[in-house]
């Protein structure tokens, strides 16, 4: 593969990483998009610039991000006394709110919409199952806080993943150094006499 094509693939990989970060804010598996993009880049370039340890690092970070997001989201709703249905309402509301918010103002609107949607989804579901208004409001606030910290944590880990990709996958062509065992004879053409350095 030519160096120009490798650099083009690298730039496409960075675009995929950026898209993964944005999709992540919507509550979708954006970090896994980064992992798949890195795998495709590695495969397309013969795993010369991005190999096994890079993939292991990305997968590990993505798993940690999912665990952190799950703990943050459920902890917020649980601390406020929410039911499982309320938590599911928060997830659905966060997804719908993120999509609607993106239509108004990308990125910022997405975050605000996801947080507001989590609040409304949890509060409405709690009220629908017969919980008092003050309880439903508390659960909604807890779900919104959990969603916020989940977004912040997962996006932070996504940024770390993007930096890992930027550093490890950069298509720099390094010269191969051949190390010979001591005492190995070196053949030098007659026109180029060997010199001691």
């Amino acid at each position: 593969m030519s160096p120009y094509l490798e650099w083009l693939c690298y730039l496409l990989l960075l675009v995929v990483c950026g898209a993964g970060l944005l999709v992540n804010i919507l509550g979708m598996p954006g970090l896994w998009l980064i992992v798949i993009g890195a795998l495709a880049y590695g495969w397309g370039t013969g795993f010369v610039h991005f190999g096994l340890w890079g993939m292991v690092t990305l997968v590990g970070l993505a798993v940690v991000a999912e665990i952190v997001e799950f703990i943050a989201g459920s902890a917020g709703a649980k601390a406020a006394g929410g039911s499982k249905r309320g938590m599911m309402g928060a997830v659905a509301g966060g997804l719908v709110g993120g999509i609607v918010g993106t239509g108004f103002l990308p990125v910022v609107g997405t975050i605000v919409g996801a947080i507001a949607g989590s609040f409304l989804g949890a509060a409405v579901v709690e009220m629908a199952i017969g919980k008092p208004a003050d309880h439903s409001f508390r659960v909604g606030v807890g779900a919104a806080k959990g969603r916020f910290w989940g977004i912040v944590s997962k996006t932070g880990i996504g940024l770390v993943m993007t930096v890992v990709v930027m550093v490890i996958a950069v298509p720099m062509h390094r010269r191969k150094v051949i190390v010979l065992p001591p005492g190995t004879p070196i053949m030098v053409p007659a026109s180029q006499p060997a010199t001691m350095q």
Side-chain angles (χ1 to χ4, degrees), residues 95-133:
L95 181 59
V96 171
I99 292 169
V100 170
T102 302
F104 288 106
L105 183 64
V107 183
V108 174
T110 305
I111 295 170
V112 171
I115 293 169
S118 293
F119 168 80
L120 288 173
V124 167
V125 168
E126 288 290 317
M127 288 176 74
I129 61 174
K131 299 290 183 177

Side-chain angles (χ1 to χ4, degrees), residues 2 6 8 18 23 26-27 37 49 52 64 75-76 79 86 97 109 115-117 125 127 135-136 143 147-148 172 192:
S2 74
E6 286 182 352
L8 178 62
V23 168
L26 290 173
H49 310 293
L52 176 64
V64 167
I115 293 169
V125 168
M127 288 176 74
H135 171 81
S136 299
R147 180 71 174 161
F148 172 76
M172 298 298 289
Q192 298 176 1

Side-chain angles (χ1 to χ4, degrees), residues 47-126:
F47 293 98
V48 173
H49 310 293
F50 200 86
L52 176 64
W53 289 111
M55 287 307 304
V56 168
T57 301
L58 286 187
V59 170
L61 286 170
V63 168
V64 167
E66 296 294 342
I67 293 169
V68 167
E69 184 187 38
F70 175 76
I71 291 172
S74 61
K78 185 178 180 182
S83 66
K84 289 183 180 178
R85 289 182 191 172
M87 291 168 62
M88 288 175 19
V91 170
L95 181 59
V96 171
I99 292 169
V100 170
T102 302
F104 288 106
L105 183 64
V107 183
V108 174
T110 305
I111 295 170
V112 171
I115 293 169
S118 293
F119 168 80
L120 288 173
V124 167
V125 168
E126 288 290 317

Side-chain angles (χ1 to χ4, degrees), residues 152-166:
V152 168
S153 302
K154 197 170 180 183
T155 303
I157 294 172
L159 287 170
V160 171
M161 290 172 68
T162 302
V163 170
V164 167
V165 167
M166 288 174 67

